[in-house]
Amino acid sequence: MPEYVHGGDVYSYTARFGSVPVDLSANINPYGIPERVRQAMRDAIEACTQYPDPFCRAPRQAIAEAEGVAPDRIYCGSGAADVLDRLAAVLRPKTALLLAPTFAEYERTLAGAELRFHTLRADEDFAVTERILQDITPDLDAVYLCNPNNPTGRTIDPALLRDIAVRCAQIGARLIVDECFLDFVPGGETLAPYLDEFPSLVLLRAYTKMYAVPGVRFGWCMTADTALIEGLYRAGQPWNVSVVAQACAVACAGERDYARQTAARIAAERAYLTESLTARGLWVCPGEANFLLLRARDTDLQDKLARRGILIRDCANYRGLARGYYRTAVKTREESKSLLAALDDIRKEET
Ligand SMILES: Cc1ncc(COP(=O)(O)O)c(C=O)c1O
């Protein structure tokens, strides 16, 4: 089997340890799938005797109403990851700028392109600052941003984002902004209102994390470039979003209150976890999402926690990070306490 580079690999964990871990390696809403979304998926089973709608009309309409964006500006895929693959296949940028560190799939989908990296700095707490504008040079075809960024959780200042969009428009580069975790940021500002002003802007979204449905596979992008949307349809099989995933998406689009409530609850848990980890001598990146980037002196922390039933993400394989960096999801108080108790246990054993 090839190497798996992401979090959430509970299958390998269970094969190794014979039990199910407290999984803090994937950043999924701990409060679970809303009941109406569950019911919508159950109801959809009857319609599985048909192929799914290749044009995802129902989810596009529901998303359009929730986001205030016209349905013909929305393309739906089998998770945001599918949309990323298709974007790379259609856009085929020769030269692209990526953040470092950031979500690894951008780099994978752009194999063959010349990649430049805007390295975020530990001494700036991994914030995207105005420094990035110098790296947006006229020879670029595409710029990929992640807001909030995985694995730092840092959001990009809305005024700076606008400057970046203006700069990309001036040099004729696509700007792809991954907003898959933006729902978790209370008051987080989407670039959706700017789609008309910047036709080269593409926004990536998913219901995966907020509605706790990574196993269903639904994500989408939004752009005013309708020729790009047509290209995305042609870039793979027509039935990439299952009947169940489409029903799930329609139900998720109607659950905006659930998202708002979750964001507020997670913000309180994030504050608790940040304080508790800092008190234990770990450096915690001031992120605003449902996960935290940590730095510890111990470079074997992931393995030590795994042996105690806790799975976190070792971030040593992120471009731009070194050994000693880890990411933990922010979940329930109980799960945070399990992590803290395991850290205390490790410390006790080693002193
Ligand atoms: C920043 C970011 N974007 C997109 C994705 C992919 O989302 P999906 O599961 O909807 O394909 C992930 C998954 O971890 C992610 O971290």
Side-chain angles (χ1 to χ4, degrees):
M1 279 185 284
E3 193 197 355
Y4 182 73
V5 299
H6 298 290
D9 188 13
V10 289
Y11 307 101
S12 297
Y13 182 95
T14 304
R16 182 173 165 206
F17 293 103
S19 60
V20 180
V22 172
D23 183 18
L24 300 175
S25 70
N27 308 310
I28 302 300
N29 184 340
Y31 308 114
I33 307 173
E35 185 46 41
R36 276 192 290 261
V37 176
R38 284 170 193 266
Q39 193 54 47
M41 290 197 279
R42 283 188 208 108
D43 294 346
I45 289 170
E46 294 308 317
C48 285
T49 51
Q50 289 164 1
Y51 277 89
D53 176 2
F55 300 113
C56 289
R57 275 165 275 227
R60 278 170 47 235
Q61 186 58 42
I63 292 168
E65 283 163 23
E67 301 290 335
V69 171
D72 66 347
R73 282 147 189 234
I74 297 168
Y75 173 79
C76 302
S78 176
D82 176 36
V83 181
L84 279 171
D85 268 318
R86 288 172 186 250
L87 281 170
V90 177
L91 298 175
R92 295 173 143 276
K94 285 196 191 64
T95 313
L97 182 72
L98 307 185
L99 301 176
T102 197
F103 182 47
E105 288 297 294
Y106 313 139
E107 185 168 345
R108 183 190 62 76
T109 62
L110 294 172
E114 181 193 328
L115 298 182
R116 312 258 176 85
F117 295 93
H118 175 72
T119 305
L120 303 170
R121 291 168 39 170
D123 63 357
E124 293 177 342
D125 290 344
F126 296 102
V128 176
T129 67
E130 294 200 342
R131 276 197 303 114
I132 195 172
L133 294 170
Q134 294 155 20
D135 284 348
I136 303 179
T137 48
D139 54 342
L140 289 175
D141 299 314
V143 174
Y144 280 67
L145 298 178
C146 187
N147 187 39
N149 191 23
N150 173 5
T152 65
R154 300 300 309 261
T155 52
I156 305 173
D157 174 65
L160 176 59
L161 258 181
R162 224 197 108 79
D163 289 348
I164 295 170
V166 168
R167 176 96 181 111
C168 287
Q170 279 166 351
I171 64 168
R174 290 276 171 184
L175 175 60
I176 294 108
V177 184
D178 183 338
E179 297 185 334
C180 282
F181 287 104
L182 195 63
D183 275 352
F184 287 96
V185 179
E189 284 185 45
T190 169
L191 285 184
Y194 296 124
L195 288 171
D196 278 331
E197 189 180 344
F198 301 107
S200 54
L201 176 64
V202 181
L203 300 180
L204 187 68
R205 295 278 196 86
Y207 287 135
T208 306
K209 323 283 181 183
M210 178 51 82
Y211 298 95
V213 285
V216 174
R217 314 305 302 133
F218 184 89
W220 74 96
C221 71
M222 304 187 280
T223 178
D225 181 348
T226 47
L228 171 60
I229 295 217
E230 282 202 17
L232 294 172
Y233 279 110
R234 282 195 294 268
Q237 62 147 318
W239 308 286
N240 56 337
V241 188
S242 74
V243 167
V244 173
Q246 294 196 30
C248 172
V250 171
C252 290
E255 293 285 342
R256 302 307 298 160
D257 281 349
Y258 184 79
R260 272 189 287 274
Q261 284 159 14
T262 297
R265 292 172 83 180
I266 291 292
E269 296 308 325
R270 187 172 55 241
Y272 168 77
L273 193 55
T274 300
E275 198 186 309
S276 308
L277 291 169
T278 308
R280 283 164 176 79
L282 285 98
W283 176 80
V284 181
C285 188
E288 294 175 74
N290 59 328
F291 51 86
L292 290 168
L293 178 69
L294 324 170
R295 190 174 58 227
R297 271 187 297 274
D298 189 342
T299 51
D300 290 323
L301 195 56
Q302 198 230 17
D303 205 55
K304 289 176 188 169
L305 286 170
R307 290 175 191 284
R308 288 164 174 81
I310 314 275
L311 198 54
I312 62 167
R313 172 79 154 87
D314 190 334
C315 292
N317 67 353
Y318 272 91
R319 187 184 284 279
L321 292 182
R323 296 190 70 195
Y325 281 98
Y326 304 91
R327 192 192 65 204
T328 177
V330 178
K331 292 194 168 176
T332 60
R333 184 64 55 102
E334 199 191 342
E335 285 160 299
S336 293
K337 285 189 169 166
S338 302
L339 170 65
L340 298 168
L343 287 170
D344 291 344
D345 189 47
I346 292 168
R347 174 171 288 195
K348 208 166 18 162
E349 208 164 84
E350 293 180 354
T351 49

